[in-house]
């Protein structure tokens, strides 16, 4: 049976090669050069597209930052933007101030519920 040499070169390039004539070598060289120019143009277009996307992203981020900087936040005031709803803890109680000393029924306590200044020894 007869086998075409192009088929052998295509499916077994490690075993078979085709010797090209001078004119076909010039054509293949021109084709390689043309492919190289085409790939470089594609890469340049992709770089420009990425630069445009990055510039748009930077502009968007700068605008967002400018909006955030221009907002004045004051503690204790409700926000105009609806966000996480506020929930009262319910456990906070406010005692009226009676001066610097507690009344006779109240004791000043430190951390852990102990009276400050007293030290416990033993257990």
């Amino acid at each position: 049976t007869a086998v075409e040499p192009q088929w052998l070169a295509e499916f077994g390039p490690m075993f078979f090669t085709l010797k090209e004539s001078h004119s076909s070598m010039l054509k293949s060289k021109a084709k390689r050069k043309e492919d190289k120019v085409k790939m470089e143009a594609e890469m340049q277009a992709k770089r420009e597209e990425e630069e445009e996307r990055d510039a748009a992203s930077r502009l968007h981020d700068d605008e967002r930052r400018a909006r955030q900087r221009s907002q004045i936040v004051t503690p204790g005031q409700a926000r105009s933007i609806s966000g996480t709803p506020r929930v009262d803890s319910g456990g906070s109680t406010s005692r009226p101030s009676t001066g610097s000393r507690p009344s006779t029924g109240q004791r000043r306590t430190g951390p852990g519920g102990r009276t400050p200044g007293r030290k416990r020894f033993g257990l």
Side-chain angles (χ1 to χ4, degrees):
T1 61
V3 179
E4 293 182 12
Q6 287 82 10
W7 184 87
L8 283 173
E10 183 179 339
F11 288 104
M14 68 283 303
F15 303 112
F16 302 99
T17 58
L18 295 178
K19 192 166 189 177
E20 298 179 8
S21 66
H22 182 68
S23 63
S24 63
M25 287 177 63
L26 290 175
K27 288 179 185 177
S28 65
K29 188 174 182 179
K31 179 151 176 56
R32 280 194 303 257
K33 193 173 188 178
E34 181 182 314
D35 289 345
K36 184 179 178 182
V37 169
K38 185 189 267 188
M39 285 192 304
E40 288 176 353
E42 288 175 3
M43 285 299 294
Q44 184 64 27
K46 184 171 180 150
R47 279 190 213 113
E48 290 173 359
E49 181 182 321
E50 287 177 356
E51 288 175 3
E52 289 175 7
R53 191 178 329 123
D54 289 345
S57 176
R58 273 187 256 118
L59 179 64
H60 177 69
D61 289 345
D62 291 345
E63 289 174 355
R64 185 174 45 86
R65 285 187 193 117
R67 273 185 267 136
Q68 287 177 347
R69 267 188 256 125
S70 67
Q71 293 176 351
I72 299 174
V73 178
T74 308
Q77 291 190 354
R79 292 179 138 184
S80 61
I81 303 171
S82 64
T84 306
R86 285 182 82 151
V87 177
D88 291 333
S89 63
S92 63
T93 58
S94 61
R95 294 183 186 166
S97 176
T98 57
S100 63
R101 302 187 82 193
S103 64
T104 55
Q106 295 176 339
R107 294 178 60 187
R108 282 191 186 185
T109 58
R114 296 186 329 195
T115 305
R118 290 189 184 171
K119 295 188 177 169
R120 298 176 83 185
F121 298 99
L123 298 174

